[in-house]
Amino acid sequence: MAFINMKHREVQAKIVYYGPGRGGKTTNLEYIYQQFRDRIPSEMVSIKTHGDRTLFFDFMPFDVGKIRGYDVRIQLYTVPGQAKYDATRRLVLKGVDGIVFVADSLAVQRERNIESFQNMLDHLAGHKKSIQDIAFVIQYNKRDLENQGIPMLSIEQLDADLNPRKNIPTFPASALKGINVVVTLKKIIAMTMTNLNRSLT
């Protein structure tokens, strides 16, 4: 649930990039941080964990209007994807308003995608939420590797595993090259704003 900062007349919303380890969550946020540095009023906080990192920074999005006359500040987070950081993932999801699930398109990562997705659903349930309650999109990352002879999951297979009803917005992307990173961000912000407007007015 978004936090209303009366002193600074801001609505603070929380968006989390979730997914398996080394799937591209951190690369997404690093790209956003580099591209929109002028819209980011704080330094990026990086909490190092073995083989992965949790990132956090505030983001002041363009042209999203106001809610109840208040400016909107988006807090962007990643979570560590490795199994041993389960408690951290659960904590980061507390109070979440929107989630980007970053799936790894490599064929060898299929089971990890599915496990991470279920892990996310379990943690949301622990906070008495579901993906129907919040803004939610899926990004199919690493599509730039399709032409390099590396076994990849097809979009159809990824949909079958993670979005069988095809009712969730999905974006083929390359976080490394910046392909559809901003499009994904804009969509999750737009959906989050719609939900906040509905719940706060």
Side-chain angles (χ1 to χ4, degrees):
M1 181 67 185
F3 172 72
I4 299 177
N5 187 324
M6 303 294 287
K7 180 179 178 181
H8 297 290
R9 297 190 63 77
E10 288 179 347
V11 174
Q12 297 174 359
K14 183 178 187 179
I15 292 175
V16 175
Y17 281 66
Y18 204 99
R22 300 187 179 277
K25 306 178 297 299
T26 298
T27 310
N28 263 275
L29 259 64
E30 288 177 337
Y31 183 86
I32 293 165
Y33 190 81
Q34 292 168 1
Q35 291 295 311
F36 299 106
R37 189 68 188 89
D38 60 329
R39 305 295 300 176
I40 298 171
S42 62
E43 294 299 315
M44 181 163 59
V45 176
S46 177
I47 303 170
K48 291 185 178 180
T49 47
H50 182 68
D52 211 340
R53 285 184 293 169
T54 296
L55 299 181
F56 161 78
F57 59 83
D58 288 338
F59 180 61
M60 308 292 283
F62 295 97
D63 301 329
V64 296
K66 295 176 180 286
I67 296 178
R68 297 172 64 180
Y70 286 39
D71 292 323
V72 177
R73 178 188 295 259
I74 303 288
Q75 297 179 323
L76 297 178
Y77 287 80
T78 63
V79 296
Q82 295 173 322
K84 61 184 177 180
Y85 299 116
D86 196 49
T88 302
R89 288 195 295 277
R90 177 170 179 161
L91 183 63
V92 173
L93 282 182
K94 186 176 182 180
V96 68
D97 297 294
I99 295 177
V100 176
F101 186 85
V102 181
D104 193 325
S105 294
L106 295 180
V108 296
Q109 296 286 23
R110 183 183 176 200
E111 289 303 317
R112 289 185 179 175
N113 286 334
I114 295 170
E115 290 172 3
S116 181
F117 196 89
Q118 185 58 52
N119 178 260
M120 174 192 69
L121 297 179
D122 292 344
H123 284 320
L124 285 174
H127 293 305
K128 302 188 184 309
K129 286 190 174 183
S130 75
I131 56 174
Q132 281 76 40
D133 301 325
I134 59 174
F136 184 66
V137 304
I138 302 175
Q139 183 187 82
Y140 298 145
N141 192 29
K142 303 186 183 178
R143 301 311 303 181
D144 56 305
L145 301 178
E146 279 183 305
N147 298 321
Q148 297 188 21
I150 300 172
M152 302 283 289
L153 295 167
S154 66
I155 297 295
E156 291 74 17
Q157 184 65 66
L158 286 160
D159 276 341
D161 290 342
L162 306 173
N163 188 23
R165 296 181 183 176
K166 297 187 178 180
N167 59 346
I168 301 167
T170 60
F171 300 91
S174 167
L176 190 63
K177 297 182 179 297
I179 299 170
N180 278 342
V181 170
V182 176
V183 173
T184 304
L185 176 66
K186 286 182 175 179
K187 183 63 176 179
I188 194 64
I189 288 176
M191 293 176 71
T192 301
M193 290 289 293
T194 298
N195 287 352
L196 292 178
N197 268 309
R198 188 182 301 130
S199 63
L200 296 177
T201 57

mmCIF file of all heavy atoms in Angstrom, residues 22 46-54 79-82 84-85 88:
data_model
loop_
_atom_site.group_PDB
_atom_site.id
_atom_site.type_symbol
_atom_site.label_atom_id
_atom_site.label_comp_id
_atom_site.label_asym_id
_atom_site.label_seq_id
_atom_site.Cartn_x
_atom_site.Cartn_y
_atom_site.Cartn_z
ATOM 1 N N ARG A 22 20.269 -13.913 -11.276
ATOM 2 C CA ARG A 22 20.977 -13.628 -12.521
ATOM 3 C C ARG A 22 20.062 -13.616 -13.741
ATOM 4 O O ARG A 22 20.495 -13.870 -14.869
ATOM 5 C CB ARG A 22 22.138 -14.610 -12.728
ATOM 6 C CG ARG A 22 23.189 -14.551 -11.608
ATOM 7 C CD ARG A 22 24.397 -15.389 -11.907
ATOM 8 N NE ARG A 22 25.383 -15.284 -10.840
ATOM 9 C CZ ARG A 22 26.267 -14.304 -10.718
ATOM 10 N NH1 ARG A 22 26.264 -13.330 -11.618
ATOM 11 N NH2 ARG A 22 27.124 -14.283 -9.721
ATOM 12 N N SER A 46 22.978 -0.197 -2.796
ATOM 13 C CA SER A 46 23.267 -1.560 -3.213
ATOM 14 C C SER A 46 23.697 -2.372 -2.007
ATOM 15 O O SER A 46 24.665 -2.031 -1.334
ATOM 16 C CB SER A 46 24.386 -1.566 -4.270
ATOM 17 O OG SER A 46 24.713 -2.888 -4.625
ATOM 18 N N ILE A 47 22.931 -3.418 -1.714
ATOM 19 C CA ILE A 47 23.266 -4.310 -0.605
ATOM 20 C C ILE A 47 23.798 -5.594 -1.203
ATOM 21 O O ILE A 47 23.060 -6.350 -1.851
ATOM 22 C CB ILE A 47 22.025 -4.588 0.265
ATOM 23 C CG1 ILE A 47 21.441 -3.268 0.786
ATOM 24 C CG2 ILE A 47 22.373 -5.519 1.413
ATOM 25 C CD1 ILE A 47 20.095 -3.413 1.448
ATOM 26 N N LYS A 48 25.075 -5.825 -1.040
ATOM 27 C CA LYS A 48 25.701 -6.983 -1.664
ATOM 28 C C LYS A 48 25.404 -8.267 -0.894
ATOM 29 O O LYS A 48 25.515 -8.320 0.318
ATOM 30 C CB LYS A 48 27.211 -6.784 -1.764
ATOM 31 C CG LYS A 48 27.610 -5.704 -2.760
ATOM 32 C CD LYS A 48 29.117 -5.643 -2.914
ATOM 33 C CE LYS A 48 29.503 -4.587 -3.948
ATOM 34 N NZ LYS A 48 30.971 -4.498 -4.126
ATOM 35 N N THR A 49 25.000 -9.272 -1.640
ATOM 36 C CA THR A 49 24.874 -10.610 -1.093
ATOM 37 C C THR A 49 25.702 -11.517 -1.993
ATOM 38 O O THR A 49 26.074 -11.125 -3.095
ATOM 39 C CB THR A 49 23.410 -11.064 -1.083
ATOM 40 O OG1 THR A 49 22.813 -10.786 -2.361
ATOM 41 C CG2 THR A 49 22.624 -10.328 -0.007
ATOM 42 N N HIS A 50 25.985 -12.698 -1.548
ATOM 43 C CA HIS A 50 26.874 -13.568 -2.305
ATOM 44 C C HIS A 50 26.268 -13.905 -3.671
ATOM 45 O O HIS A 50 25.242 -14.555 -3.773
ATOM 46 C CB HIS A 50 27.125 -14.855 -1.533
ATOM 47 C CG HIS A 50 28.073 -15.791 -2.239
ATOM 48 N ND1 HIS A 50 29.407 -15.495 -2.397
ATOM 49 C CD2 HIS A 50 27.865 -16.970 -2.847
ATOM 50 C CE1 HIS A 50 29.987 -16.470 -3.064
ATOM 51 N NE2 HIS A 50 29.069 -17.377 -3.346
ATOM 52 N N GLY A 51 26.901 -13.418 -4.731
ATOM 53 C CA GLY A 51 26.467 -13.747 -6.081
ATOM 54 C C GLY A 51 25.281 -12.952 -6.584
ATOM 55 O O GLY A 51 24.814 -13.179 -7.692
ATOM 56 N N ASP A 52 24.788 -12.001 -5.797
ATOM 57 C CA ASP A 52 23.609 -11.243 -6.203
ATOM 58 C C ASP A 52 23.586 -9.958 -5.413
ATOM 59 O O ASP A 52 24.366 -9.772 -4.497
ATOM 60 C CB ASP A 52 22.345 -12.061 -5.949
ATOM 61 C CG ASP A 52 21.257 -11.741 -6.967
ATOM 62 O OD1 ASP A 52 21.329 -10.663 -7.592
ATOM 63 O OD2 ASP A 52 20.358 -12.571 -7.137
ATOM 64 N N ARG A 53 22.670 -9.055 -5.750
ATOM 65 C CA ARG A 53 22.579 -7.806 -5.021
ATOM 66 C C ARG A 53 21.120 -7.390 -4.875
ATOM 67 O O ARG A 53 20.282 -7.720 -5.701
ATOM 68 C CB ARG A 53 23.324 -6.683 -5.759
ATOM 69 C CG ARG A 53 24.817 -6.765 -5.665
ATOM 70 C CD ARG A 53 25.444 -5.567 -6.329
ATOM 71 N NE ARG A 53 25.223 -5.574 -7.763
ATOM 72 C CZ ARG A 53 25.483 -4.528 -8.556
ATOM 73 N NH1 ARG A 53 25.895 -3.402 -8.027
ATOM 74 N NH2 ARG A 53 25.291 -4.616 -9.841
ATOM 75 N N THR A 54 20.844 -6.654 -3.810
ATOM 76 C CA THR A 54 19.568 -5.971 -3.666
ATOM 77 C C THR A 54 19.828 -4.502 -3.928
ATOM 78 O O THR A 54 20.705 -3.906 -3.316
ATOM 79 C CB THR A 54 18.999 -6.159 -2.248
ATOM 80 O OG1 THR A 54 18.733 -7.533 -2.033
ATOM 81 C CG2 THR A 54 17.710 -5.367 -2.078
ATOM 82 N N VAL A 79 15.221 -7.782 -5.748
ATOM 83 C CA VAL A 79 15.422 -8.738 -4.658
ATOM 84 C C VAL A 79 16.536 -9.703 -5.070
ATOM 85 O O VAL A 79 16.737 -9.956 -6.249
ATOM 86 C CB VAL A 79 14.144 -9.553 -4.355
ATOM 87 C CG1 VAL A 79 13.042 -8.646 -3.850
ATOM 88 C CG2 VAL A 79 13.687 -10.324 -5.584
ATOM 89 N N PRO A 80 17.272 -10.260 -4.109
ATOM 90 C CA PRO A 80 18.240 -11.312 -4.458
ATOM 91 C C PRO A 80 17.488 -12.568 -4.875
ATOM 92 O O PRO A 80 16.535 -12.978 -4.209
ATOM 93 C CB PRO A 80 19.020 -11.514 -3.156
ATOM 94 C CG PRO A 80 18.100 -11.055 -2.077
ATOM 95 C CD PRO A 80 17.261 -9.962 -2.669
ATOM 96 N N GLY A 81 17.896 -13.167 -5.986
ATOM 97 C CA GLY A 81 17.129 -14.279 -6.528
ATOM 98 C C GLY A 81 17.457 -15.633 -5.943
ATOM 99 O O GLY A 81 16.679 -16.579 -6.094
ATOM 100 N N GLN A 82 18.582 -15.751 -5.272
ATOM 101 C CA GLN A 82 19.002 -17.068 -4.813
ATOM 102 C C GLN A 82 18.147 -17.562 -3.649
ATOM 103 O O GLN A 82 17.662 -16.781 -2.832
ATOM 104 C CB GLN A 82 20.476 -17.018 -4.408
ATOM 105 C CG GLN A 82 21.378 -16.741 -5.601
ATOM 106 C CD GLN A 82 22.814 -16.524 -5.195
ATOM 107 O OE1 GLN A 82 23.088 -15.906 -4.171
ATOM 108 N NE2 GLN A 82 23.725 -17.034 -5.984
ATOM 109 N N LYS A 84 18.638 -18.981 -0.857
ATOM 110 C CA LYS A 84 18.998 -18.753 0.548
ATOM 111 C C LYS A 84 18.595 -17.371 1.057
ATOM 112 O O LYS A 84 18.662 -17.120 2.255
ATOM 113 C CB LYS A 84 20.491 -18.968 0.752
ATOM 114 C CG LYS A 84 21.374 -18.033 -0.049
ATOM 115 C CD LYS A 84 22.834 -18.410 0.156
ATOM 116 C CE LYS A 84 23.758 -17.555 -0.692
ATOM 117 N NZ LYS A 84 25.162 -17.927 -0.494
ATOM 118 N N TYR A 85 18.176 -16.470 0.142
ATOM 119 C CA TYR A 85 17.756 -15.138 0.561
ATOM 120 C C TYR A 85 16.239 -15.004 0.574
ATOM 121 O O TYR A 85 15.688 -13.941 0.330
ATOM 122 C CB TYR A 85 18.386 -14.078 -0.348
ATOM 123 C CG TYR A 85 19.883 -14.090 -0.290
ATOM 124 C CD1 TYR A 85 20.636 -14.400 -1.409
ATOM 125 C CD2 TYR A 85 20.559 -13.800 0.895
ATOM 126 C CE1 TYR A 85 22.019 -14.438 -1.352
ATOM 127 C CE2 TYR A 85 21.938 -13.835 0.959
ATOM 128 C CZ TYR A 85 22.666 -14.143 -0.168
ATOM 129 O OH TYR A 85 24.028 -14.171 -0.103
ATOM 130 N N THR A 88 14.741 -12.272 2.816
ATOM 131 C CA THR A 88 14.914 -10.921 2.276
ATOM 132 C C THR A 88 13.863 -10.633 1.219
ATOM 133 O O THR A 88 13.277 -9.548 1.180
ATOM 134 C CB THR A 88 16.323 -10.770 1.668
ATOM 135 O OG1 THR A 88 17.283 -11.050 2.678
ATOM 136 C CG2 THR A 88 16.547 -9.370 1.132
#
